Amino acid sequence: MSNARATHLSRRGILAAGGALGLGAVLAACGDDDAKSGGSDKETTAAKSGPWTFKDDRGQTARTDTTPATIVSFIGVAAALHDYGIESKGVFGPTRLKDGKADVQAGDLDISKVTVIGNEWGQFNIEKYAALAPDVLISTMFDSAGTLWYVPEESKKKILAVGAPSVGISVYDVQLPTPLQRMLELAKSLGADTTSATITAAKKRFEDAAARLRAAAKAKPGIKVLVGSASQDIFYVSGSNLSIDLEYFKALGVNFVEPAASALKASGGWYENLSWENVDKYGADVIMMDNRTSAIQPADITEGTWKKLPAVKAGQVIARNPEPILSYDKCAPLLEDLAKAIESAKKVS
């Protein structure tokens, strides 16, 4: 599977390419009534909590009779909720590596304690999902159409027919603090103590990191930052628009390399495709590289053109997660790492 798939994604349509689930009449096997009723295993605290509602970023309001106890969520959402003390029973998306270890997108989540509904793009085991008798399905959204991330379009109707309401948190064309706040609100609705000392400290650290990044960018306005992702045949250069982290970093003053709008058009505005022969098209002093397992990591890039880049030769390459885990605890280091890179960077472009 090409590393480009998860890196570029017009974030909407690339749901095909071998992702057929072939589950047949799953709902008939599971039974809609069983999927909706399975309340005997719910925690008693949730059962006493009364009606629960949450208006998501599609403008849709999810409703359940009690606060959801059986949560199924995209792995990054599960990792964020975990940081707020809310646990998911089932997850989907990049969760487990081939060696059994947790994917980077799992954060601090103990993946041995969750049911993995699907581990790759296009995978979503409806039988496993229905067997959990889920109370709510939660994911992020990378487009304006409200497409739930990693919920296959071809089986979405069957998935939603299980009966659990869905919640979508937008990570499209907004700055990082917005989805961070929305995830915090969601966690609070699910029972998190958002005034705890731990969460308060994490939020303060994030705010301090933002101030540090702003100061670093102001002190070194000439430092140019390129955002890239590597696949076998293509090097992707991201524009700063649309992505929640890059839009925010740019607002804080970071000087990004910006591909022309015409070069970004083919990807819906996300990135420009470069061949490895042309990887030196843009001058950069710091390079941020996609750290997801779908992308080739810098240490594994063998292309000579990459190794000759001034920023690479200077050791001024840092990691970037294009799908940040939306908790203050996980996002603060993203700002700190970029601030440190700019503070210590030498002008090499």
Side-chain angles (χ1 to χ4, degrees):
M1 178 176 64
S2 170
N3 290 290
R5 191 266 312 144
T7 303
H8 69 246
L9 294 173
S10 50
R11 267 37 185 199
R12 263 189 289 182
I14 309 179
L15 291 162
L21 295 175
L23 292 173
V26 174
L27 296 181
C30 298
D32 283 346
D33 291 339
D34 290 341
K36 292 178 182 177
S37 64
S40 58
D41 293 330
K42 306 292 188 262
E43 286 81 345
T44 55
T45 53
K48 296 177 182 177
S49 62
W52 173 84
T53 63
F54 184 82
K55 187 174 182 180
D56 74 0
D57 292 338
R58 298 170 296 182
Q60 298 180 14
T61 300
R63 292 183 172 86
T64 56
D65 293 337
T66 61
T67 300
T70 302
I71 299 168
V72 175
S73 54
F74 172 67
I75 185 62
V77 172
L81 292 176
H82 171 79
D83 286 350
Y84 294 131
I86 304 298
E87 303 301 337
S88 297
K89 297 287 183 65
V91 298
F92 54 95
T95 302
R96 184 180 292 115
L97 303 177
K98 291 181 180 179
D99 62 6
K101 295 181 181 179
D103 189 276
V104 65
Q105 294 193 63
D108 295 331
L109 196 66
D110 184 347
I111 63 172
S112 70
K113 295 182 178 180
V114 295
T115 298
V116 181
I117 305 297
N119 198 55
E120 297 179 5
W121 184 260
Q123 291 182 351
F124 195 107
N125 190 314
I126 305 176
E127 291 175 313
K128 282 187 177 181
Y129 176 64
L132 287 173
D135 293 322
V136 66
L137 174 69
I138 310 172
S139 191
T140 48
M141 302 181 298
F142 277 92
D143 61 22
S144 59
T147 305
L148 296 175
W149 192 230
Y150 269 80
V151 175
E153 282 292 301
E154 66 271 17
S155 52
K156 182 177 67 175
K157 289 184 179 179
K158 290 182 178 179
I159 292 167
L160 296 180
V162 169
S166 63
V167 169
I169 299 296
S170 178
V171 289
Y172 174 76
D173 199 17
V174 293
Q175 293 183 19
L176 184 56
T178 298
L180 269 174
Q181 180 61 32
R182 291 292 285 147
M183 190 63 71
L184 187 69
E185 292 169 359
L186 175 60
K188 182 179 181 180
S189 78
L190 293 168
D193 178 9
T194 57
T195 63
S196 70
T198 299
I199 294 175
T200 300
K203 190 172 183 178
K204 176 65 163 55
R205 180 184 174 188
F206 177 85
E207 293 167 348
D208 290 346
R212 178 183 174 184
L213 180 55
R214 186 189 297 275
K218 184 176 181 180
K220 289 190 171 182
I223 295 297
K224 296 168 65 176
V225 180
L226 182 144
V227 182
S229 183
S231 71
Q232 184 174 352
D233 300 315
I234 299 172
F235 184 80
Y236 302 92
V237 179
S238 294
S240 65
N241 292 329
L242 304 183
S243 297
I244 57 174
D245 58 337
L246 303 186
E247 284 200 7
Y248 186 47
F249 299 160
K250 183 178 181 180
L252 292 174
V254 175
N255 180 11
F256 283 112
V257 169
E258 298 282 6
S262 57
L264 297 171
K265 187 176 181 180
S267 68
W270 291 95
Y271 58 87
E272 176 182 2
N273 295 353
L274 294 179
S275 66
W276 283 104
E277 289 77 11
N278 295 317
V279 74
D280 59 354
K281 178 178 179 179
Y282 300 105
D285 305 298
V286 173
I287 300 177
M288 301 177 71
M289 289 294 290
D290 187 344
N291 72 347
R292 294 174 298 177
T293 52
S294 57
I296 299 175
Q297 297 307 298
D300 299 320
I301 298 175
T302 59
E303 301 290 341
T305 48
W306 163 261
K307 295 180 179 180
K308 292 178 182 178
L309 293 177
V312 175
K313 293 172 68 174
Q316 296 176 176
V317 179
I318 64 172
R320 175 216 176 200
N321 188 344
E323 298 178 55
I325 294 172
L326 295 173
S327 72
Y328 291 102
D329 179 72
K330 294 299 182 292
C331 286
L334 306 181
L335 280 75
E336 293 167 345
D337 291 347
L338 181 54
K340 181 180 178 181
I342 293 174
E343 289 165 352
S344 60
K346 296 178 181 178
K347 183 68 180 175
V348 294
S349 64

